Amino acid sequence: MPARPELPERTPRGEGVPTALDGLLVVDFTRVVAGPACTQTLADFGAEVIKIENPDGGDDTRHYEHAEIGGESAAYLSLNRNKRGIALDFNNPAALDVARELIAKADVVVENFSGGVMRKFGLDYASVAPTNPRLIYCSISAYGRKGDFALRPGFDPITQAESGFMSLNGFPDSEPVRTGPPIVDMATGMSACNAILLALIARDRIGRGQQVEVALIDTAVAMTGFYGMAYLINGNNPGRFGNSPNGSPTVGIYRASDGPLYMACANDRLYRRLVTEVLERPDLVTDPEFAHRKARTANKEKLRAIIAGVFASDTLENWMAKMKRANIPVGYLRTVEEGFNAPEVRDRDRLSKIPHPTAGAVPNIESPVNMSLTPTIDPVAAPLLGQHTRDVLSKTLGYDDQRIAALAEAGAFGKAAGVSQAG
């Protein structure tokens, strides 16, 4: 079994430094990827995020099998930092009352249930907005909340496949390939976070909240980017180009004598610099077959073979040094292990370890968002199932011990949860 990577303790943020979302109360009904990714960003920047889970197993990602530590999965830990977790059984009327009271106090609600679930429990926007007109209510789904497909379940790879996004990934002589990480889920979570922040700005201007919606299929379509736009312009169905967009011979993977590199010389200026200053082949500029971009595209296989032959003649480090001196966009082709231990990552303090109640400490990957005046809060590991139930009910809703005990007795926190397990 490989050794676990060594991680530093995280440096605490400065005393008295403000947060961007201090005082914002978010009630989080989401699970799996897109919704938790959205609410984790809000939590990272100071919002109080209360994650509500089913006491019977909780968020599905708790049971994903990538890796686990202290009884929690890598997937769950990666998506639920800085949240307070409570467990409520929505099949119990007393639990629904608790959920409604939390929503009545909230600035933001985020949910990503299948269509009709929140309406079934009386927790949909139409049901709760009258008691909280300033509420921002964000719904995340696969196919939207309206129309013929609103009730259809869907997941990241399904929308990658159905939108055409997947058809752009892979090599022309093989089947389409989904992305390894759930990129549509993650991008949808980012869009949901943007939508919430836009709605909060609008609330300050117009004095009321609103319902906002994001859908995986919409995100996947948008992520076809200029390939999708090109199809709309010329009607040509785009294909797959592997590691070289449009088959460009100067973008993609090449192999030095002892290892691979990835370069991206996507314009004439960079191409001239590559072949003259790095490859020392000025004839590749003057030769009519390669003098212009269209000519290079027409003769791409011939040019690629010439470039590959030159790269194979020397070591990776020598090529990297020459390309960096010439300011050519180039990078090492790294594994996750290599990338996470590279100076570009380690020198930016992207990785650390933080305390955890059952594991002692768990790894932490920093938010990619950096703000000079209102940085992220000091990270707190994702909550255990129902870890903060008593604390939230007491401090946020003002319940006394007797009421919390009555809710536990009534089964609001699940059949197995007694009073001692509700906090």
Side-chain angles (χ1 to χ4, degrees):
M1 186 175 179
R4 184 179 299 162
E6 288 294 325
L7 296 171
E9 301 284 349
R10 189 181 188 275
T11 303
R13 74 202 306 266
E15 285 282 337
V17 176
T19 63
L21 300 177
D22 183 50
L24 193 76
L25 178 60
V26 179
V27 179
D28 178 8
F29 292 94
T30 70
R31 70 265 187 265
V32 193
V33 179
C38 164
T39 53
Q40 179 168 268
T41 299
L42 300 175
D44 283 345
F45 286 91
E48 179 185 357
V49 176
I50 298 173
K51 181 180 179 71
I52 299 178
E53 295 180 81
N54 179 350
D56 184 16
D59 191 322
D60 293 345
T61 59
R62 288 182 179 275
H63 314 292
Y64 282 14
E65 297 175 349
H66 303 94
E68 69 89 29
I69 184 171
E72 302 286 11
S73 77
Y76 174 75
L77 290 170
S78 73
L79 293 162
N80 292 283
R81 177 180 57 229
N82 291 327
K83 303 175 187 180
R84 293 203 290 163
I86 73 172
L88 293 176
D89 181 358
F90 282 1
N91 294 309
N92 186 298
L96 288 177
D97 288 341
V98 173
R100 292 189 188 100
E101 287 194 47
L102 285 170
I103 292 172
K105 288 179 170 287
D107 295 285
V108 177
V109 164
V110 191
E111 61 90 11
N112 65 345
F113 285 107
S114 299
V117 171
M118 295 297 274
R119 185 183 307 113
K120 170 186 172 183
F121 292 117
L123 301 175
D124 58 305
Y125 181 68
S127 298
V128 301
T131 59
N132 188 354
R134 289 177 56 81
L135 179 69
I136 310 301
Y137 192 107
C138 179
S139 294
I140 303 171
S141 64
Y143 298 98
R145 289 291 186 234
K146 297 177 182 177
D148 294 342
F149 302 102
L151 299 181
R152 183 183 172 195
F155 295 92
D156 175 294
I158 304 302
T159 55
Q160 286 195 37
E162 292 196 330
S163 64
F165 178 86
M166 193 183 294
S167 76
L168 301 171
N169 302 321
F171 291 88
D173 57 352
S174 63
E175 292 292 317
V177 178
R178 61 166 285 181
T179 62
I183 190 66
V184 172
D185 267 337
M186 299 301 291
T188 300
M190 294 176 192
S191 294
C193 187
N194 285 341
I196 290 166
L197 297 175
L198 289 169
L200 287 167
I201 293 171
R203 186 177 73 173
D204 287 343
R205 292 175 51 243
I206 64 178
R208 58 169 297 176
Q210 60 182 295
Q211 185 171 20
V212 300
E213 179 194 332
V214 291
L216 300 183
I217 191 70
D218 298 345
T219 301
V221 167
M223 288 177 64
T224 63
F226 44 76
Y227 292 105
M229 182 62 74
Y231 162 71
L232 295 175
I233 290 172
N234 61 28
N236 294 328
N237 195 24
R240 293 181 292 286
F241 303 103
N243 291 308
S244 302
N246 297 322
S248 170
T250 52
V251 176
I253 296 174
Y254 283 93
R255 293 192 173 273
S257 61
D258 58 348
L261 58 85
Y262 190 100
M263 73 171 179
C265 292
N267 59 45
D268 285 338
R269 173 177 50 82
L270 289 172
Y271 172 74
R272 287 193 296 270
R273 198 184 299 161
L274 169 71
V275 298
T276 58
E277 298 180 30
V278 177
L279 303 183
E280 299 180 9
R281 288 288 303 270
D283 59 298
L284 298 179
V285 175
T286 57
D287 189 324
E289 288 189 309
F290 312 125
H292 303 288
R293 184 167 183 155
K294 286 185 178 180
R296 291 195 295 274
T297 300
N299 298 286
K300 59 189 177 187
E301 296 306 327
K302 183 177 180 179
L303 180 56
R304 180 173 286 276
I306 293 171
I307 294 173
V310 178
F311 273 126
S313 68
D314 204 347
T315 64
L316 178 62
E317 290 306 324
N318 284 343
W319 287 123
M320 293 296 284
K322 290 182 73 172
M323 295 177 84
K324 288 178 180 179
R325 282 197 299 270
N327 205 23
I328 297 294
V330 64
Y332 295 96
L333 187 62
R334 291 169 171 152
T335 63
V336 172
E337 179 180 14
E338 291 167 340
F340 274 36
N341 287 287
E344 293 91 337
V345 174
R346 291 289 180 147
D347 290 356
R348 290 183 57 77
D349 301 319
R350 296 292 86 193
L351 308 173
S352 63
K353 60 182 177 182
I354 58 177
H356 186 271
T358 58
V362 296
N364 179 58
I365 302 175
E366 289 291 320
S367 166
V369 179
N370 296 282
M371 301 180 71
S372 61
L373 296 180
T374 55
T376 59
I377 65 173
D378 289 331
V380 176
L384 304 178
L385 181 57
Q387 180 180 344
H388 304 105
T389 303
R390 179 184 292 277
D391 185 63
V392 168
L393 299 188
S394 173
K395 294 180 180 177
T396 305
L397 295 181
Y399 291 4
D400 58 23
D401 289 346
Q402 185 176 359
R403 185 170 183 183
I404 295 172
L407 286 167
E409 182 67 26
F413 313 133
K415 294 180 180 178
V419 178
S420 63
Q421 295 171 298

